[in-house]
Amino acid sequence: MLHQIEASHFQPLVGTTCSLALPDGRALAVLVERVDLKPLSQMPGSRMPFAVAMTALGGSDFVHGSCALELPTVGRLEGMFVSRVPAMGRDERAAYFQVVFN
């Protein structure tokens, strides 16, 4: 199912808070910050690659792993690999994540 997901599935979530289901069963509230299209990474005949940026405003000890998220038009999306990204000048108390779809 992951290969059928497009940026348009995530765009309605931008600016909203969602519950990310972590691999250990915990739920992490994340703000979906943006969806970035990656046209320079697109292979001929394939979907447009994109990345989803999310922030856990209260911070988190979660680093990376296979997570699940409820998408409005698809339902529960399982098996998304979520990676933590460095704060790089942003609020150090928050935790920043991204999901990349190639």
Side-chain angles (χ1 to χ4, degrees):
M1 180 171 175
L2 289 174
H3 66 281
Q4 298 172 340
I5 300 301
E6 305 216 0
S8 61
H9 292 114
F10 280 91
Q11 287 166 334
L13 297 176
V14 173
T16 67
T17 301
C18 302
S19 182
L20 188 63
L22 302 181
D24 64 4
R26 293 181 296 161
L28 178 63
V30 294
L31 174 65
V32 179
E33 298 276 353
R34 65 185 185 281
V35 177
D36 297 321
L37 299 178
K38 305 292 185 182
L40 296 178
S41 300
Q42 187 174 19
M43 299 292 290
S46 67
R47 74 168 169 208
M48 174 68 68
F50 66 98
V52 180
M54 300 176 286
T55 303
L57 300 175
S60 175
D61 61 349
F62 176 66
V63 177
H64 65 265
S66 181
C67 298
L69 182 69
E70 201 68 35
L71 291 176
T73 57
V74 177
R76 187 173 173 91
L77 181 61
E78 303 272 353
M80 292 187 320
F81 193 82
V82 177
S83 301
R84 192 164 187 153
V85 295
M88 296 181 1
R90 297 177 284 186
D91 184 353
E92 294 286 336
R93 295 169 294 187
Y96 303 95
F97 301 97
Q98 78 171 356
V99 182
V100 176
F101 291 87
N102 291 322

